[in-house]
Amino acid sequence: MKGTRAAGRRNRLAAVTGTVKVLAVCVLFLTAQFGPIAQASARSPADAASPTDTAVAQAVDDSRSYILDSPNRTGDHWASNISMGGLRPWDLRYTIEYALVLERLGIDSESKRRAVEYVLQRRQPDGGWNDTIANYAGLLLLSELDGEYQAERRAIRSELDRANASLVDVEAETPRDEIFLYRTRLFYTLMDERRSAGELFPNETLKELPGLLLLTPAFEGEFSPTDHAVNHNALDTMISLNVLSLEVRSNVSTDEEDAKEALTEVLLKRRQTSGAWATAFDTMYAVLALHEAGYEVDDDPIRIATRWLEENRQAPSGRFVAFRTPVWDTAWTVQALTSSGLSPDNETVKDAAQWLVDARTTTNVYRTRRNLTLDRPPLPFRSHYGHGWSYKPELQSNWGETAVVTRTLAPYDEMVVADSVTFLFDVQNEDGTWSTWSTDFDPLNESEQSDLREELDRGLYRTLFGDEPVPGTNGHVLMSLGAHGYTVENNASVRAAVDYLLGARDRTEMWPAKWGVRYTYGTSRVIQGLVGVGVDPNRPEIQEAAAALVERQNPDGGWGEGILEGGTFPGWDDAQYLSAPSTPEQTAWALQALLAAGYSPDHPAVRAGVQYLLDTQRPDGSWAASPVMYQGAPPTYVDEAWTQAAALLALSAYADAAGVDTSPDRPGPADESLPVPPWLVANLLVLAVAVAIVVRLREQP
């Protein structure tokens, strides 16, 4: 009986096992036939975004969130505390000068204490600041302060001795170093009784720098603020240095005394309505000049200006802030936010747009809202003064800033925009180009030009007495005009500018710029401007420039470009692309250029550039800012708000080209977890039945 039951059980098990094997074969067959199809269907782009698209959309979200909550945002606009970069300690030098001015004025304030603390924190433990000019200026500062700084002074002197340096004989390496050195010697002449103008300025060199003003027709007779020969952005400081040089000299003629009084009066008239001058530097030197000319610290011109510096031009660290560019920062930020999908009707964006409208140079609203001090417009310096924007409210307008803001305001105030577009055409040079600050600026006759060119470095001559057209600025203007419907087909002024740009490349096959370093930024602005006014992106000039950018892409996928800091000021014909480590800003500019030139978002250079931006974005959604802003010559500047706007603009342009939705109100990401397919459910049920049968049979005797 036992043998019979065992044999029966073996037969039943064999039958069930055979059945299970058949079922298993069926399962394998179904899996092989339908599994891959179902898996492929679940992973198709229709159901889930590719990792790159998801990463780009997330990066845009994070960037937008950071910008909206950025520390650079001040109420209804954005503005960075701009710092200086490059090989020299520009911020340190200016902060020392600021502390020296306050010390000379006898102002013992918290602002001065913070500036001194900033300076001391950056000193090497066994010496000074590894910079001869900063060492001499800092040594004078510590010698004038009430405090125990003997050890610090000894260490600084030791560093100067090791370098065999002399304040009289030290030679400046660059023109800007020469200007710093000139001012340092002026401070010593004013504040150190052991030093005289005759010692520190031998051979009449005290007259040379500010005396350039007197070589021009601007001071023949009564000074004309709208017809002077020196470029406006150098004028205020030049006047201040002239006043100071006349104060410290011992052999001043009667005519020179009269000139000093006239210059002082002009300096007072050139204040902005805030009571300060055009820039923080101008304000600092103007205050010192007025003090030496006899004004007291409690007199309004000095009291108001020093308060403005303390409240507006000092970072929390104590650093003297070189510039703040709220108009520039706000305009680019608004463009970046709207390009990323934020509606122009968003309240934050609308408030910023209104701030830009109010900040126009000729607008009285800004003065009223800010309750500023001087109830008058600032003294104009040229015939084309207003109707545009500068990098900060109330400053004389420039064409690049006006173009950027006019493009930003396109969705808003039609009257203001139309007026500003007309203004851009009004300030176009006769040859169809745009300069930066002025129109057809050619103030000197051939004899005067020859004399000054012998006196000055080429780049310094251009800075003081020229305002040449720059391709990057012309790109800005065309970007704006194109956004308002002006093209090569319907406007002769646009055609003239396009003709200029198509012939303005140099041997790099690219275009240079002011404001951003240098060929990367210029080429980006020009390509976008040309395409924006209807130029075929397949034109050889555009494609060759784009290819030149691709050739200079770094192995990490980004772009980086530097500038020469030694020797002369670079001119626009100094055609060198200086490769440098990648930066987020320059990578963003290059990507914008390539996409505008028609490169596919799948092009390897574009994808690598986008990946670089994704890889370098920080957890809070921002990118590290780099010193890539400049005015055509050293130093370079770090503008954190501009950095964030540039990166967001580039990612948004890529997303638009690749069809990636980055709007903040887009549907949430699809559930990327794979659903359980029906074929798998059926297979599992079959296996479950088979297992149950086997278990049941094993339980039977």
Side-chain angles (χ1 to χ4, degrees), residues 12 82 166 183 201 234 249 294 481 508 588:
R12 288 194 299 273
I82 290 179
S166 166
R183 291 198 300 263
F201 297 96
R249 281 170 50 201
L481 295 178
T508 67

Side-chain angles (χ1 to χ4, degrees), residues 57-70:
Q58 186 62 55
V60 169
D61 286 344
D62 293 345
S63 172
R64 189 166 48 218
S65 296
Y66 175 83
I67 289 173
L68 290 172
D69 295 328
S70 168

Side-chain angles (χ1 to χ4, degrees), residues 390-533:
S390 187
Y391 58 82
K392 70 174 187 177
E394 296 303 308
L395 191 61
Q396 50 271 7
S397 52
N398 69 68
W399 318 154
E401 227 101 14
T402 298
V404 172
V405 177
T406 302
R407 185 170 184 245
T408 302
L409 293 179
Y412 301 102
D413 194 320
E414 293 182 1
M415 183 177 66
V416 169
V417 170
D419 186 38
S420 299
V421 170
T422 300
F423 177 61
L424 285 173
F425 285 124
D426 288 343
V427 298
Q428 189 174 20
N429 293 324
E430 288 187 4
D431 62 1
T433 64
W434 281 272
S435 298
T436 303
W437 307 97
S438 53
T439 302
D440 294 316
F441 186 70
D442 189 19
L444 306 177
N445 60 40
E446 291 184 4
S447 174
E448 291 162 341
Q449 289 182 27
S450 177
D451 291 343
L452 286 171
R453 287 179 189 276
E454 290 182 5
E455 295 277 342
L456 302 175
D457 164 82
R458 177 187 59 183
L460 187 55
Y461 173 86
R462 287 173 168 171
T463 299
L464 296 178
F465 301 105
D467 190 16
E468 299 175 352
V470 182
T473 300
N474 285 261
H476 279 149
V477 176
L478 291 187
M479 288 170 69
S480 178
L481 295 178
H484 293 283
Y486 295 93
T487 70
V488 289
E489 298 295 331
N490 62 26
N491 189 272
S493 295
V494 169
R495 287 194 293 273
V498 167
D499 288 343
Y500 156 71
L501 286 173
L502 292 177
R505 290 185 303 151
D506 55 33
R507 63 174 179 266
T508 67
E509 297 188 322
M510 294 182 286
W511 290 276
K514 182 180 283 190
W515 306 132
V517 175
R518 180 192 185 202
Y519 287 101
T520 312
Y521 187 71
T523 301
S524 175
R525 303 305 100 166
V526 170
I527 289 179
Q528 291 181 83
L530 290 173
V531 174
V533 295

Side-chain angles (χ1 to χ4, degrees), residues 676-683:
V676 180
W679 62 268
L680 182 57
V681 174
N683 287 345

Side-chain angles (χ1 to χ4, degrees), residues 171 207 355 431 503 575 617:
E171 294 186 3
K207 296 181 180 180
W355 184 89
D431 62 1
Q617 190 177 27

Side-chain angles (χ1 to χ4, degrees), residues 80-197:
S80 300
N81 283 329
I82 290 179
S83 61
M84 294 186 175
L87 300 178
R88 286 167 176 76
W90 306 101
D91 285 332
L92 173 68
R93 290 179 181 179
Y94 280 118
T95 304
I96 294 174
E97 288 189 341
Y98 175 59
L100 281 169
V101 168
L102 294 180
E103 178 66 19
R104 177 63 176 172
L105 269 57
I107 298 176
D108 189 19
S109 63
E110 174 66 14
S111 181
K112 185 177 77 172
R113 186 196 64 77
R114 288 166 52 211
V116 172
E117 184 176 332
Y118 173 89
V119 169
L120 289 174
Q121 287 175 347
R122 280 145 186 82
R123 187 182 66 85
Q124 301 297 319
D126 58 347
W129 294 274
N130 197 29
D131 178 79
T132 300
I133 295 173
N135 283 344
Y136 273 113
L139 182 61
L140 176 63
L141 174 63
L142 296 181
S143 299
E144 293 293 316
L145 292 174
D146 293 330
E148 299 296 326
Y149 296 110
Q150 290 90 341
E152 289 85 351
R153 294 200 299 269
R154 282 196 301 270
I156 297 168
R157 288 194 187 97
S158 295
E159 183 174 309
L160 289 169
D161 291 341
R162 290 193 297 270
N164 197 28
S166 166
L167 184 59
V168 177
D169 299 328
V170 63
E171 294 186 3
E173 296 181 13
T174 71
R176 284 194 184 267
D177 284 340
E178 182 177 351
I179 296 171
F180 266 109
L181 186 58
Y182 182 93
R183 291 198 300 263
T184 300
R185 288 168 174 159
L186 271 178
F187 277 116
Y188 268 90
T189 305
L190 290 169
M191 302 175 73
D192 188 343
E193 295 179 353
R194 298 168 298 176
R195 302 284 194 170
S196 67

